[in-house]
């Protein structure tokens, strides 16, 4: 498709939504992407870039000259322009900013002054703010008069003196109210205000909890400076919720469009940490070398104890990390959660201990059977407790429980499992 | 707080958002919840129940008599009532439905007739649908005239004959257009139609991709039967994206409010499967019992090979499962993804092999050093390939790659790791 039959391709692409065009470019091989974009010409507009995967976009924009890139970002909403620019190298970023119109540039630079992943970076500056003494008719006339206004708004923000938000009004309410009613009679006074410094994950939880469509963003003085709309939140929820599986596995950002060298850098760090913790387990086993030399079957059975402990620990960990991320697990119910995991672990441990103990007794030896049963019950209970206590403790000290927990938990279950099994076997069997 | 000082509690709870009241009830101990709800009386209304965690709600509703439950669900929007009823036992569900008003009952029963987790279950039936020959003024007058209409709508749906949707119009556009303009002149004709049977995860991906606020749901004949709004989608995105971490770990639903016996049932199944696969690894090791008896240090080192292979496999798996869930990995770029994982695995494997090989050479023995280096390089590459090929294959055969992948991948990395290391050691060292 890419070579030669450009006109056919154009005809196919023309009716597509920008998000679909962006998908098409992502699916093309890396070396074909620039040619494809050139061939599609004006079909690849600012909206398409806004929808593109960030790694793909970064590669494509690095190929453009700064002036073309500046034109492109000027056509975008501020929040999209910020998303494009924040991923670039400092140097490329400055080159593009220098080519932008002063007012666009000022808006983008202001947004970039907020911390990464904060409400200030994802908010839009185009919104409808009206003084509280207006009536419905005035609000509607104002919206009709200004042709430059964006179309993507769902609520009107009512502001008091000093531009402090005092209420919001849904467009549906506005439409259904007679013109002469004052806006402050129909506005909702309770609203969720988002400080510009708030982390986007917090913002997303607020949107979710209160089923918001849009929310006012305020600066440190409480003045209305922008709004966040739910369509941006959906992306953030997807990202943040999906991130945990990746963080728990140590796969970093884990995007399939991430360049190989970045994926390598993210993952190998984790593997090296894992190598370090595996050495602790190795050290524990090496203490029992004499026992293993005399009873090599222990070497064959010990991975079972470690594997099941690791698995039980990962289950408790995944549940706990998720509960923390969704604000369901807080100081108030921490001990209840620990108690719950303990009970689940006793049940799981007893079931597996009986199955494994009976199997080993049947095929090998009774004493070995109850030794491995006791070791696995112990290790599954330890795993359950570690699975909940490690992330809860990390969270309490302000660390992200998804990032470091699994190294700790696996280390605990491996060493405890090997120690309990080999230790008990040394005492009982030799 | 719960006992005695009811009035104080009431005063505290009164200004809270229903979602916050629901949180409060979730945080109470199981045995106190019903007493708390009784004490709070009318503050705990249908909105609070709609916001409550499903497990907590199920427990509370089971305590109510069917008539009270029926009254409660009648006050809810259809989609919330369906969410409450679908979790209950068949018997309780029927008892409550029998007590409901015929029209509410019919709406709920119709929704329940759609498959679980489909668009039909999550859609709202209250929406604004107007004929295409109306003008803006008529649409506005219609919205003003009907006081019964819900307030939560952001777009108007325009329908043709037979109630087929032909376009949508944002309220902002409607507000800013003079009254005499025909609605079909300003409506957007391109819209994303959601078949009522579509899975909610698919629906969420559409909302995300096209940044939708609401979308029309159509039946098999293409007639407009409801709408899905983005506030429900945010919950679904959170659920579905967060689910993968839980499914990969085999923790089932993994909600901290899930009763202990359900959590046990979900997790032990997985542990038993893991026990089965661990036995395969045990079998592989037992083939080398003679080797281990003569060189017990192998038993201490072999878990390193398995642990790092497992970790590398989990990383590739998490990345792949996520790419499949977000529709980024399809038939078109499947081989590119495999190739990418292969290259990352070679880099990771080489790094770890050099580190571990050098360490073992330094502290133990040169031959053992290169044996373990070769085994770990091999196992990390196998892990990377298994981590991408297993979920891709499961997806191709229509299975959910998040559910079963990790059992397969861990089995492959464990057995291959032990086999490569012990096999090579037997040949070279003995």
């Amino acid at each position: 498709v890419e070579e030669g039959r450009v006109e056919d391709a154009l005809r196919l692409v023309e009716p597509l939504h920008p998000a679909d065009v962006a998908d098409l470019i992502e699916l093309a091989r890396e070396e074909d992407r620039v040619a494809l974009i050139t061939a599609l010409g004006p079909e690849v507009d600012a909206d398409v870039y806004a929808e593109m995967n960030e790694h793909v976009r970064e590669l494509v924009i690095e190929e453009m000259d700064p002036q073309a890139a500046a034109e492109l970002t000027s056509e975008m909403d501020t929040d999209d322009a910020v998303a494009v620019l924040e991923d670039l190298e400092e140097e490329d970023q400055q080159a593009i900013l220098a080519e932008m119109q002063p007012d666009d540039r000022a808006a983008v630079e202001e947004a970039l002054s907020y911390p990464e992943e904060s409400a200030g970076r994802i908010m839009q500056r185009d919104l409808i703010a009206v003084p509280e003494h207006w009536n419905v008719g005035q609000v509607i006339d104002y919206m009709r008069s200004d042709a430059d206004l964006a179309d993507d708004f769902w609520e009107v923000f009512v502001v008091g003196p000093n531009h402090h938000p005092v209420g919001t009004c849904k467009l549906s309410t506005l439409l259904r109210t007679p013109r002469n009613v004052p806006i402050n009679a129909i506005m909702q006074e309770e609203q969720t205000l988002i400080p510009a410094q708030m982390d986007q994950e917090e913002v997303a939880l607020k949107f979710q909890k209160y089923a918001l469509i849009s929310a006012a963003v305020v600066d440190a003085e409480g003045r209305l400076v922008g709004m966040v709309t739910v369509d941006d939140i959906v992306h953030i929820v997807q990202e943040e919720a999906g991130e945990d599986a990746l963080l728990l596995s140590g796969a970093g950002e884990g995007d399939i469009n991430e360049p190989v060298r970045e994926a390598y850098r993210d993952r190998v760090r984790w593997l090296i940490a894992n190598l370090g913790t595996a050495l602790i387990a190795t050290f524990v086993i090496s203490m029992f070398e004499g026992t293993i030399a005399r009873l090599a079957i222990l070497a064959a059975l010990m991975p079972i104890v470690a594997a099941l402990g690791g698995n039980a620990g990962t289950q408790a960990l995944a549940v706990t990390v998720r509960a923390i991320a969704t604000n369901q697990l807080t100081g108030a119910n921490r001990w209840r959660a620990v108690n719950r995991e303990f009970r689940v672990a006793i049940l799981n441990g007893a079931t597996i201990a009986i199955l494994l103990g009976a199997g080993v007794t049947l095929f090998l030896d009774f004493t070995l059977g109850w030794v491995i049963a006791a070791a696995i019950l112990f290790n599954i209970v330890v795993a359950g407790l570690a699975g909940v206590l490690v992330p809860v403790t990390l969270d309490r000290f302000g660390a992200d429980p998804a990032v470091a927990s699994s190294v700790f938990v696996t280390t605990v279950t491996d060493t405890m499992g090997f120690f309990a099994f080999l230790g008990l076997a040394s005492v009982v069997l030799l």
Side-chain angles (χ1 to χ4, degrees), chain A:
Chain A
V1 177
E2 279 125 38
E3 305 310 323
R5 300 178 47 202
V6 173
E7 273 183 43
D8 288 2
L10 268 177
R11 209 171 317 133
L12 282 171
V13 169
E14 221 227 287
L16 292 181
H17 188 281
D20 293 314
V21 181
D23 279 0
L24 205 69
I25 293 168
E26 283 165 29
L27 284 179
R29 275 171 302 162
E30 211 172 301
E31 54 273 28
D32 294 336
R33 279 182 194 139
V34 174
L36 179 62
I37 291 172
T38 315
L40 294 177
E43 289 302 323
V44 184
D45 57 12
D47 286 339
V48 173
Y49 283 97
E51 298 285 347
M52 219 178 274
N53 175 285
E54 50 176 314
H55 295 290
V56 175
R57 188 172 55 203
E58 201 182 322
L59 289 173
V60 172
I61 297 221
E62 275 168 5
E63 300 276 315
M64 293 170 85
D65 63 278
Q67 212 185 330
E71 257 173 55
L72 191 73
T73 44
S74 300
E75 280 168 41
M76 295 179 179
D77 291 339
T78 321
D79 58 332
D80 290 331
V82 170
V84 170
L85 289 170
E86 68 184 358
D87 293 332
L88 298 179
E89 309 277 329
E90 183 69 25
E91 204 181 313
D92 296 334
Q93 204 182 83
Q94 289 306 328
I96 295 174
L97 279 171
E99 296 287 337
M100 285 174 78
Q101 299 293 324
D103 53 338
D104 288 335
R105 182 182 168 164
V108 171
E109 280 181 340
E110 198 219 312
L112 286 173
S113 74
Y114 291 106
E116 255 185 78
E117 309 215 322
S118 70
R121 292 263 178 126
I122 55 171
M123 74 186 182
Q124 282 165 240
R125 273 150 200 79
D126 295 331
L127 52 80
I128 312 276
V130 297
E132 53 183 329
H133 58 78
W134 279 13
N135 65 29
V136 171
Q138 283 172 295
V139 174
I140 294 180
D141 291 341
Y142 166 65
M143 293 196 299
R144 287 208 178 131
S145 67
D146 191 346
D148 265 358
L149 281 175
D151 236 7
D152 285 317
F153 58 93
W154 319 95
E155 282 173 306
V156 166
F157 297 98
V158 185
V159 289
N162 306 324
H163 223 64
H164 283 69
V166 294
T168 66
C169 184
K170 289 180 193 171
L171 294 189
S172 57
T173 313
L174 208 59
L175 261 168
R176 297 170 61 191
T177 309
R179 289 182 65 95
N180 57 353
V181 175
I183 185 90
N184 62 14
I186 56 162
M187 72 184 185
Q188 280 179 286
E189 286 180 41
E190 269 171 62
Q191 63 173 321
T192 310
L193 295 177
I194 310 281
Q197 303 281 338
M198 187 184 257
D199 187 82
Q200 62 177 21
E201 194 170 1
E202 259 329 281
V203 179
L205 285 173
K206 293 247 181 262
F207 265 75
Q208 213 180 324
K209 185 164 182 186
Y210 301 121
L212 304 176
I213 295 295
S214 56
V217 180
V218 292
D219 64 13
E221 282 77 45
R223 280 186 303 253
L224 180 67
V225 291
M227 72 168 172
V228 176
T229 50
V230 69
D231 51 317
D232 294 321
I233 293 299
V234 175
H235 283 273
I236 291 165
V237 170
Q238 167 75 274
E239 247 176 64
E240 299 277 347
E243 223 175 50
D244 284 352
L246 295 166
L247 290 175
L248 279 172
S249 77
E253 229 187 287
D255 184 298
I256 54 160
N257 289 302
E258 197 184 11
V260 168
R261 89 197 111 78
E262 284 176 34
Y264 163 64
R265 202 191 49 205
D266 284 349
R267 295 198 209 170
V268 82
R269 224 174 3 201
W270 201 256
L271 292 175
I272 292 173
N274 193 231
L275 183 58
T277 61
L279 288 175
I280 304 177
T282 297
F283 175 73
V284 170
I285 300 170
S286 70
M287 296 193 309
F288 299 97
E289 255 181 58
T291 312
I292 292 170
R294 285 160 67 189
L295 210 60
I297 184 76
L298 295 179
L301 292 172
M302 66 187 200
I304 299 181
V305 179
L308 279 146
N311 199 329
T314 309
Q315 291 178 336
L317 189 58
V319 173
T320 308
V321 164
R322 182 130 180 77
I324 292 174
T326 52
N327 274 352
Q328 285 194 75
L329 183 54
T330 61
N333 56 354
R334 191 173 291 153
W335 292 110
R336 200 196 306 158
V338 174
N339 179 277
R340 185 174 168 278
E341 284 303 329
F342 181 70
R343 285 156 63 203
V344 175
I346 292 277
L347 289 172
N348 280 337
T351 309
I352 299 296
I354 290 169
L355 284 175
L356 184 60
V360 170
T361 301
L362 204 65
F363 291 102
L364 294 166
D365 172 69
F366 172 72
T367 317
L368 191 57
W370 79 253
V371 164
I372 202 168
I376 212 158
L377 171 61
F378 171 75
N379 202 26
I380 287 179
V381 172
V382 166
L385 291 176
V388 59
L389 288 172
V390 168
V392 160
T393 310
L394 286 173
D395 182 51
R396 217 168 163 176
F397 288 107
D400 182 347
V403 177
S405 291
S406 72
V407 178
F408 284 111
V409 172
T410 321
T411 308
V412 169
T413 57
D414 275 2
T415 51
M416 285 295 151
F418 290 135
F419 190 79
F421 179 55
L422 296 176
L424 204 56
S426 301
V427 173
V428 174
L429 291 169
L430 292 186

